[in-house]
Amino acid sequence: MTTSMDNNHQPSQGEAPHCSFPFRAVGLFTGDMRRCGEWVKRQSLVIQLPDCVFRGVAQVMFVNNPLSGLLIVVGLFLQNPWWALNGLLGTLVSTVSAFMLGQNREAISVGFYGYNGTLVGILIAVFSAKGSWYWWLFLPNVFMSMLCPVVSSALSSVASKWDLPIFTLPFNILVCLHIAATGAAHPYFPEVYLSIPQVTASCCQLFLSVPVGVGQVYGCDSPWTGGLILLALLLCSPTLCFHAMLGSAAGMFAGLALAASHRDIYTGLWGYNSALSCIAIGGVFYVITWQTHLLALICALFCAYMTSLALPACTWPFCLSTLIFLLISSEIPAISLFQKLKDTFAYLLLFFSSNFTSSGIICLLLLI
């Protein structure tokens, strides 16, 4: 009887690998691509660097997936190849500087020391009055990107006392410093005050302002670039993609409610900070529940109000509003969990190595 039972059970064991193969194949490219990361760590630095760079590009959106970073880079080249090239250079220089300064190798490998360099490189090119292919612009780009891990490490030493992340504060500090030091009258690196083109008011433009708002995180106003960034988020985590769209839409509606310029709304300037805040609160730092979904929406609206204060460019409203919401105390377990974590980097590593694989995506969709 035992032999018969074993024989009857054998077909189901043989079928299981065939049934699970598609899920395993999807899992190789979704989530944090853990197997790829483990393989890269055993390779030489020449192979590790591209993985670190693409993960760093994606980490701007709290994504730890090199394929997502590649999709975002494609979107950047679609917007402006010169901006994309400066962004890649900034990421590379920032990552190499972190290696040379002896920063945590695990943090470098997941892109924590690259994403500020990405934004520094792109925004220095965006604000340059010299236009595209002004090669001397590489000099301030390299210098400021080289300072990113220095400022990041210094701020982390201070922020860790309150168990807080530093977000894009190094990028904000360095880019504002560069703009203040050069200005519009600088003979070599003049800055330009961007003029926003006239936009015809329509429901279509209002709809497109959601992906455009996501794209503006990287300084891009193309809806195609924003769509590719959303696809990159979806590849890593549907939760992050959902909160990015929710936050951008919240910023857009807040801009309409505050009677902001329609040009600013349609070009995504009211959406990108709110999108980042919504992702951070609803998809990264708190356990996913209906309370944290609501909290993320409130944070996105609060961030939009900070945008109305005419704060400097970059992501100051996102940093300030999200840090405030991370400092709150609550008896709700999903919210109080973050307060119990003593090491922010350890928490981020835990998050990015969690269940954002094929099986984890199904569980997250059920939770949503």
PDB file of all heavy atoms in Angstrom, residues 16-40:
ATOM      1  N   ALA A  16       4.770  19.885 -10.121  1.00  0.00           N
ATOM      2  CA  ALA A  16       4.992  21.101  -9.354  1.00  0.00           C
ATOM      3  C   ALA A  16       6.048  22.007  -9.962  1.00  0.00           C
ATOM      4  O   ALA A  16       5.831  23.206 -10.116  1.00  0.00           O
ATOM      5  CB  ALA A  16       5.352  20.760  -7.909  1.00  0.00           C
ATOM      6  N   PRO A  17       7.220  21.468 -10.371  1.00  0.00           N
ATOM      7  CA  PRO A  17       8.220  22.356 -10.970  1.00  0.00           C
ATOM      8  C   PRO A  17       7.745  23.033 -12.237  1.00  0.00           C
ATOM      9  O   PRO A  17       8.065  24.185 -12.485  1.00  0.00           O
ATOM     10  CB  PRO A  17       9.403  21.430 -11.233  1.00  0.00           C
ATOM     11  CG  PRO A  17       9.227  20.292 -10.279  1.00  0.00           C
ATOM     12  CD  PRO A  17       7.767  20.107 -10.174  1.00  0.00           C
ATOM     13  N   HIS A  18       6.916  22.289 -13.052  1.00  0.00           N
ATOM     14  CA  HIS A  18       6.419  22.901 -14.288  1.00  0.00           C
ATOM     15  C   HIS A  18       5.462  24.043 -13.969  1.00  0.00           C
ATOM     16  O   HIS A  18       5.438  25.050 -14.655  1.00  0.00           O
ATOM     17  CB  HIS A  18       5.730  21.849 -15.155  1.00  0.00           C
ATOM     18  CG  HIS A  18       6.682  20.788 -15.648  1.00  0.00           C
ATOM     19  ND1 HIS A  18       7.611  21.021 -16.637  1.00  0.00           N
ATOM     20  CD2 HIS A  18       6.862  19.492 -15.258  1.00  0.00           C
ATOM     21  CE1 HIS A  18       8.311  19.913 -16.872  1.00  0.00           C
ATOM     22  NE2 HIS A  18       7.882  18.971 -16.034  1.00  0.00           N
ATOM     23  N   CYS A  19       4.647  23.848 -12.913  1.00  0.00           N
ATOM     24  CA  CYS A  19       3.686  24.885 -12.554  1.00  0.00           C
ATOM     25  C   CYS A  19       4.390  26.107 -11.964  1.00  0.00           C
ATOM     26  O   CYS A  19       3.955  27.237 -12.155  1.00  0.00           O
ATOM     27  CB  CYS A  19       2.669  24.336 -11.544  1.00  0.00           C
ATOM     28  SG  CYS A  19       1.632  23.012 -12.210  1.00  0.00           S
ATOM     29  N   SER A  20       5.453  25.868 -11.229  1.00  0.00           N
ATOM     30  CA  SER A  20       6.117  26.977 -10.554  1.00  0.00           C
ATOM     31  C   SER A  20       7.178  27.632 -11.424  1.00  0.00           C
ATOM     32  O   SER A  20       7.701  28.684 -11.055  1.00  0.00           O
ATOM     33  CB  SER A  20       6.769  26.486  -9.264  1.00  0.00           C
ATOM     34  OG  SER A  20       7.755  25.508  -9.540  1.00  0.00           O
ATOM     35  N   PHE A  21       7.513  27.042 -12.566  1.00  0.00           N
ATOM     36  CA  PHE A  21       8.568  27.607 -13.411  1.00  0.00           C
ATOM     37  C   PHE A  21       8.256  29.025 -13.870  1.00  0.00           C
ATOM     38  O   PHE A  21       9.146  29.900 -13.815  1.00  0.00           O
ATOM     39  CB  PHE A  21       8.822  26.702 -14.621  1.00  0.00           C
ATOM     40  CG  PHE A  21       9.827  27.264 -15.583  1.00  0.00           C
ATOM     41  CD1 PHE A  21      11.187  27.228 -15.287  1.00  0.00           C
ATOM     42  CD2 PHE A  21       9.423  27.865 -16.771  1.00  0.00           C
ATOM     43  CE1 PHE A  21      12.124  27.758 -16.167  1.00  0.00           C
ATOM     44  CE2 PHE A  21      10.343  28.402 -17.645  1.00  0.00           C
ATOM     45  CZ  PHE A  21      11.698  28.341 -17.341  1.00  0.00           C
ATOM     46  N   PRO A  22       7.035  29.339 -14.350  1.00  0.00           N
ATOM     47  CA  PRO A  22       6.766  30.731 -14.751  1.00  0.00           C
ATOM     48  C   PRO A  22       6.954  31.712 -13.603  1.00  0.00           C
ATOM     49  O   PRO A  22       7.463  32.821 -13.802  1.00  0.00           O
ATOM     50  CB  PRO A  22       5.305  30.691 -15.221  1.00  0.00           C
ATOM     51  CG  PRO A  22       5.068  29.269 -15.591  1.00  0.00           C
ATOM     52  CD  PRO A  22       5.880  28.461 -14.637  1.00  0.00           C
ATOM     53  N   PHE A  23       6.536  31.289 -12.387  1.00  0.00           N
ATOM     54  CA  PHE A  23       6.692  32.181 -11.246  1.00  0.00           C
ATOM     55  C   PHE A  23       8.175  32.403 -10.931  1.00  0.00           C
ATOM     56  O   PHE A  23       8.596  33.497 -10.573  1.00  0.00           O
ATOM     57  CB  PHE A  23       5.974  31.616 -10.024  1.00  0.00           C
ATOM     58  CG  PHE A  23       4.485  31.573 -10.173  1.00  0.00           C
ATOM     59  CD1 PHE A  23       3.846  30.396 -10.540  1.00  0.00           C
ATOM     60  CD2 PHE A  23       3.715  32.699  -9.962  1.00  0.00           C
ATOM     61  CE1 PHE A  23       2.480  30.345 -10.673  1.00  0.00           C
ATOM     62  CE2 PHE A  23       2.350  32.664 -10.102  1.00  0.00           C
ATOM     63  CZ  PHE A  23       1.712  31.488 -10.469  1.00  0.00           C
ATOM     64  N   ARG A  24       8.962  31.320 -11.048  1.00  0.00           N
ATOM     65  CA  ARG A  24      10.393  31.462 -10.806  1.00  0.00           C
ATOM     66  C   ARG A  24      11.044  32.357 -11.856  1.00  0.00           C
ATOM     67  O   ARG A  24      11.924  33.161 -11.542  1.00  0.00           O
ATOM     68  CB  ARG A  24      11.067  30.095 -10.814  1.00  0.00           C
ATOM     69  CG  ARG A  24      10.684  29.209  -9.631  1.00  0.00           C
ATOM     70  CD  ARG A  24      11.390  27.862  -9.712  1.00  0.00           C
ATOM     71  NE  ARG A  24      11.023  26.995  -8.595  1.00  0.00           N
ATOM     72  CZ  ARG A  24      11.479  25.750  -8.447  1.00  0.00           C
ATOM     73  NH1 ARG A  24      12.305  25.234  -9.340  1.00  0.00           N
ATOM     74  NH2 ARG A  24      11.097  25.036  -7.395  1.00  0.00           N
ATOM     75  N   ALA A  25      10.613  32.219 -13.091  1.00  0.00           N
ATOM     76  CA  ALA A  25      11.170  33.050 -14.161  1.00  0.00           C
ATOM     77  C   ALA A  25      10.828  34.518 -13.935  1.00  0.00           C
ATOM     78  O   ALA A  25      11.680  35.398 -14.103  1.00  0.00           O
ATOM     79  CB  ALA A  25      10.647  32.579 -15.514  1.00  0.00           C
ATOM     80  N   VAL A  26       9.578  34.791 -13.535  1.00  0.00           N
ATOM     81  CA  VAL A  26       9.188  36.174 -13.243  1.00  0.00           C
ATOM     82  C   VAL A  26       9.963  36.696 -12.048  1.00  0.00           C
ATOM     83  O   VAL A  26      10.394  37.862 -12.012  1.00  0.00           O
ATOM     84  CB  VAL A  26       7.663  36.249 -12.993  1.00  0.00           C
ATOM     85  CG1 VAL A  26       7.275  37.630 -12.471  1.00  0.00           C
ATOM     86  CG2 VAL A  26       6.896  35.930 -14.264  1.00  0.00           C
ATOM     87  N   GLY A  27      10.176  35.829 -11.058  1.00  0.00           N
ATOM     88  CA  GLY A  27      10.895  36.247  -9.861  1.00  0.00           C
ATOM     89  C   GLY A  27      12.334  36.633 -10.111  1.00  0.00           C
ATOM     90  O   GLY A  27      12.933  37.361  -9.317  1.00  0.00           O
ATOM     91  N   LEU A  28      12.920  36.164 -11.222  1.00  0.00           N
ATOM     92  CA  LEU A  28      14.299  36.521 -11.535  1.00  0.00           C
ATOM     93  C   LEU A  28      14.444  37.994 -11.905  1.00  0.00           C
ATOM     94  O   LEU A  28      15.520  38.576 -11.749  1.00  0.00           O
ATOM     95  CB  LEU A  28      14.821  35.647 -12.679  1.00  0.00           C
ATOM     96  CG  LEU A  28      15.040  34.162 -12.379  1.00  0.00           C
ATOM     97  CD1 LEU A  28      15.442  33.426 -13.644  1.00  0.00           C
ATOM     98  CD2 LEU A  28      16.103  33.973 -11.292  1.00  0.00           C
ATOM     99  N   PHE A  29      13.361  38.604 -12.413  1.00  0.00           N
ATOM    100  CA  PHE A  29      13.447  39.978 -12.905  1.00  0.00           C
ATOM    101  C   PHE A  29      12.636  40.963 -12.082  1.00  0.00           C
ATOM    102  O   PHE A  29      12.753  42.165 -12.297  1.00  0.00           O
ATOM    103  CB  PHE A  29      12.967  40.032 -14.372  1.00  0.00           C
ATOM    104  CG  PHE A  29      13.731  39.118 -15.278  1.00  0.00           C
ATOM    105  CD1 PHE A  29      13.205  37.901 -15.678  1.00  0.00           C
ATOM    106  CD2 PHE A  29      14.991  39.466 -15.715  1.00  0.00           C
ATOM    107  CE1 PHE A  29      13.913  37.052 -16.512  1.00  0.00           C
ATOM    108  CE2 PHE A  29      15.714  38.626 -16.560  1.00  0.00           C
ATOM    109  CZ  PHE A  29      15.175  37.418 -16.951  1.00  0.00           C
ATOM    110  N   THR A  30      11.794  40.470 -11.177  1.00  0.00           N
ATOM    111  CA  THR A  30      10.983  41.352 -10.355  1.00  0.00           C
ATOM    112  C   THR A  30      11.585  41.460  -8.963  1.00  0.00           C
ATOM    113  O   THR A  30      12.579  40.815  -8.635  1.00  0.00           O
ATOM    114  CB  THR A  30       9.540  40.828 -10.270  1.00  0.00           C
ATOM    115  OG1 THR A  30       9.561  39.486  -9.740  1.00  0.00           O
ATOM    116  CG2 THR A  30       8.889  40.817 -11.628  1.00  0.00           C
ATOM    117  N   GLY A  31      10.948  42.279  -8.136  1.00  0.00           N
ATOM    118  CA  GLY A  31      11.454  42.456  -6.783  1.00  0.00           C
ATOM    119  C   GLY A  31      12.823  43.110  -6.793  1.00  0.00           C
ATOM    120  O   GLY A  31      13.103  44.031  -7.569  1.00  0.00           O
ATOM    121  N   ASP A  32      13.716  42.630  -5.953  1.00  0.00           N
ATOM    122  CA  ASP A  32      15.056  43.217  -5.874  1.00  0.00           C
ATOM    123  C   ASP A  32      16.095  42.425  -6.665  1.00  0.00           C
ATOM    124  O   ASP A  32      17.290  42.711  -6.558  1.00  0.00           O
ATOM    125  CB  ASP A  32      15.496  43.337  -4.413  1.00  0.00           C
ATOM    126  CG  ASP A  32      15.529  41.986  -3.703  1.00  0.00           C
ATOM    127  OD1 ASP A  32      15.220  40.964  -4.359  1.00  0.00           O
ATOM    128  OD2 ASP A  32      15.858  41.954  -2.512  1.00  0.00           O
ATOM    129  N   MET A  33      15.664  41.434  -7.447  1.00  0.00           N
ATOM    130  CA  MET A  33      16.584  40.596  -8.237  1.00  0.00           C
ATOM    131  C   MET A  33      17.730  40.101  -7.350  1.00  0.00           C
ATOM    132  O   MET A  33      18.908  40.295  -7.635  1.00  0.00           O
ATOM    133  CB  MET A  33      17.114  41.364  -9.459  1.00  0.00           C
ATOM    134  CG  MET A  33      16.055  41.669 -10.490  1.00  0.00           C
ATOM    135  SD  MET A  33      16.694  42.519 -11.968  1.00  0.00           S
ATOM    136  CE  MET A  33      17.793  41.280 -12.641  1.00  0.00           C
ATOM    137  N   ARG A  34      17.331  39.437  -6.277  1.00  0.00           N
ATOM    138  CA  ARG A  34      18.292  39.023  -5.257  1.00  0.00           C
ATOM    139  C   ARG A  34      19.357  38.083  -5.813  1.00  0.00           C
ATOM    140  O   ARG A  34      20.544  38.199  -5.498  1.00  0.00           O
ATOM    141  CB  ARG A  34      17.548  38.357  -4.095  1.00  0.00           C
ATOM    142  CG  ARG A  34      18.417  38.065  -2.882  1.00  0.00           C
ATOM    143  CD  ARG A  34      17.605  37.318  -1.828  1.00  0.00           C
ATOM    144  NE  ARG A  34      16.317  37.963  -1.603  1.00  0.00           N
ATOM    145  CZ  ARG A  34      15.347  37.415  -0.873  1.00  0.00           C
ATOM    146  NH1 ARG A  34      15.527  36.214  -0.342  1.00  0.00           N
ATOM    147  NH2 ARG A  34      14.207  38.052  -0.680  1.00  0.00           N
ATOM    148  N   ARG A  35      18.928  37.130  -6.637  1.00  0.00           N
ATOM    149  CA  ARG A  35      19.894  36.173  -7.190  1.00  0.00           C
ATOM    150  C   ARG A  35      20.927  36.874  -8.051  1.00  0.00           C
ATOM    151  O   ARG A  35      22.115  36.524  -8.026  1.00  0.00           O
ATOM    152  CB  ARG A  35      19.163  35.095  -7.994  1.00  0.00           C
ATOM    153  CG  ARG A  35      18.296  34.179  -7.135  1.00  0.00           C
ATOM    154  CD  ARG A  35      17.687  33.067  -7.979  1.00  0.00           C
ATOM    155  NE  ARG A  35      16.862  32.177  -7.176  1.00  0.00           N
ATOM    156  CZ  ARG A  35      16.206  31.120  -7.660  1.00  0.00           C
ATOM    157  NH1 ARG A  35      16.302  30.834  -8.948  1.00  0.00           N
ATOM    158  NH2 ARG A  35      15.474  30.368  -6.856  1.00  0.00           N
ATOM    159  N   CYS A  36      20.481  37.835  -8.810  1.00  0.00           N
ATOM    160  CA  CYS A  36      21.412  38.620  -9.627  1.00  0.00           C
ATOM    161  C   CYS A  36      22.400  39.358  -8.732  1.00  0.00           C
ATOM    162  O   CYS A  36      23.606  39.395  -9.004  1.00  0.00           O
ATOM    163  CB  CYS A  36      20.645  39.598 -10.502  1.00  0.00           C
ATOM    164  SG  CYS A  36      21.675  40.757 -11.433  1.00  0.00           S
ATOM    165  N   GLY A  37      21.891  39.947  -7.649  1.00  0.00           N
ATOM    166  CA  GLY A  37      22.758  40.667  -6.729  1.00  0.00           C
ATOM    167  C   GLY A  37      23.780  39.766  -6.059  1.00  0.00           C
ATOM    168  O   GLY A  37      24.951  40.154  -5.896  1.00  0.00           O
ATOM    169  N   GLU A  38      23.348  38.558  -5.686  1.00  0.00           N
ATOM    170  CA  GLU A  38      24.289  37.625  -5.055  1.00  0.00           C
ATOM    171  C   GLU A  38      25.366  37.177  -6.033  1.00  0.00           C
ATOM    172  O   GLU A  38      26.530  37.004  -5.649  1.00  0.00           O
ATOM    173  CB  GLU A  38      23.524  36.414  -4.521  1.00  0.00           C
ATOM    174  CG  GLU A  38      22.600  36.746  -3.349  1.00  0.00           C
ATOM    175  CD  GLU A  38      21.747  35.565  -2.950  1.00  0.00           C
ATOM    176  OE1 GLU A  38      21.768  34.537  -3.672  1.00  0.00           O
ATOM    177  OE2 GLU A  38      21.044  35.654  -1.922  1.00  0.00           O
ATOM    178  N   TRP A  39      24.985  36.994  -7.295  1.00  0.00           N
ATOM    179  CA  TRP A  39      25.970  36.601  -8.298  1.00  0.00           C
ATOM    180  C   TRP A  39      26.953  37.739  -8.564  1.00  0.00           C
ATOM    181  O   TRP A  39      28.163  37.514  -8.689  1.00  0.00           O
ATOM    182  CB  TRP A  39      25.266  36.215  -9.598  1.00  0.00           C
ATOM    183  CG  TRP A  39      26.216  35.863 -10.706  1.00  0.00           C
ATOM    184  CD1 TRP A  39      26.833  34.669 -10.926  1.00  0.00           C
ATOM    185  CD2 TRP A  39      26.679  36.750 -11.747  1.00  0.00           C
ATOM    186  NE1 TRP A  39      27.640  34.731 -12.035  1.00  0.00           N
ATOM    187  CE2 TRP A  39      27.568  35.999 -12.552  1.00  0.00           C
ATOM    188  CE3 TRP A  39      26.429  38.071 -12.075  1.00  0.00           C
ATOM    189  CZ2 TRP A  39      28.197  36.551 -13.667  1.00  0.00           C
ATOM    190  CZ3 TRP A  39      27.058  38.626 -13.178  1.00  0.00           C
ATOM    191  CH2 TRP A  39      27.929  37.861 -13.960  1.00  0.00           C
ATOM    192  N   VAL A  40      26.457  38.977  -8.629  1.00  0.00           N
ATOM    193  CA  VAL A  40      27.316  40.121  -8.904  1.00  0.00           C
ATOM    194  C   VAL A  40      28.342  40.316  -7.794  1.00  0.00           C
ATOM    195  O   VAL A  40      29.493  40.681  -8.052  1.00  0.00           O
ATOM    196  CB  VAL A  40      26.452  41.395  -9.085  1.00  0.00           C
ATOM    197  CG1 VAL A  40      27.324  42.638  -9.083  1.00  0.00           C
ATOM    198  CG2 VAL A  40      25.656  41.325 -10.386  1.00  0.00           C
TER     199      VAL A  40
END
